[in-house]
Amino acid sequence: QVQLVESGGGSVQAGGSLRLSCVASAYTYSRYCMGWFRQAPGKEREGVAGISPSGGSTYYADSVKGRFTISRDNVKNALYLQMNSLKPDDTAMYYCAADRPPCTLVLDTRRYDYWGQGTQVTVSS
């Protein structure tokens, strides 16, 4: 069982930045693919960014490419999402998730086995 706890959400104006963090309980954290997802009210949960176990490969949804950066620290069992140039459309609950090994870098909610409780991001215009 893996427990994930997100933090770092908040309210910002358009054009601002936030950095989300997620800490995992698993001692085998370095073997998991990790991802960030988001869900806005009335919409389906969607993938934002994913990262390989080593951190050497990343993947982004088109809507956030060039603005968001996913990274991880396998010593600290931590996952990060740096969000720059935020837009009102980025407003959502953001979740981190873990995909058990063997894993692939696919931003499909059905592939991920463990989820955090979410952290709210609100971007005002």
Side-chain angles (χ1 to χ4, degrees):
Q1 188 73 15
V2 177
Q3 292 185 328
L4 303 170
V5 179
E6 303 98 333
S7 63
S11 297
V12 296
Q13 290 190 327
S17 299
L18 282 174
R19 188 192 194 208
L20 305 184
S21 299
C22 172
V23 177
S25 65
Y27 72 95
T28 56
Y29 172 74
S30 63
R31 296 175 59 193
Y32 289 76
C33 289
M34 298 295 297
W36 285 101
F37 293 78
R38 66 187 181 186
Q39 188 167 18
K43 295 186 177 181
E44 292 186 356
R45 191 170 297 190
E46 63 175 0
V48 175
I51 190 166
S52 62
S54 68
S57 297
T58 57
Y59 181 80
Y60 297 92
D62 288 344
S63 59
V64 306
K65 279 181 182 176
R67 300 188 299 122
F68 290 11
T69 303
I70 189 172
S71 61
R72 66 190 295 165
D73 184 332
N74 286 345
V75 174
K76 296 181 179 179
N77 278 17
L79 178 72
Y80 306 103
L81 185 68
Q82 177 66 44
M83 305 186 295
N84 298 328
S85 302
L86 282 161
K87 305 175 181 179
D89 283 349
D90 295 318
T91 295
M93 185 72 79
Y94 282 71
Y95 300 88
C96 72
D99 181 10
R100 287 179 297 194
C103 58
T104 59
L105 214 58
V106 176
L107 292 176
D108 183 343
T109 58
R110 295 169 295 180
R111 291 200 56 88
Y112 284 76
D113 306 289
Y114 304 103
W115 294 83
Q117 82 290 347
T119 186
Q120 178 68 38
V121 172
T122 303
V123 184
S124 58
S125 58

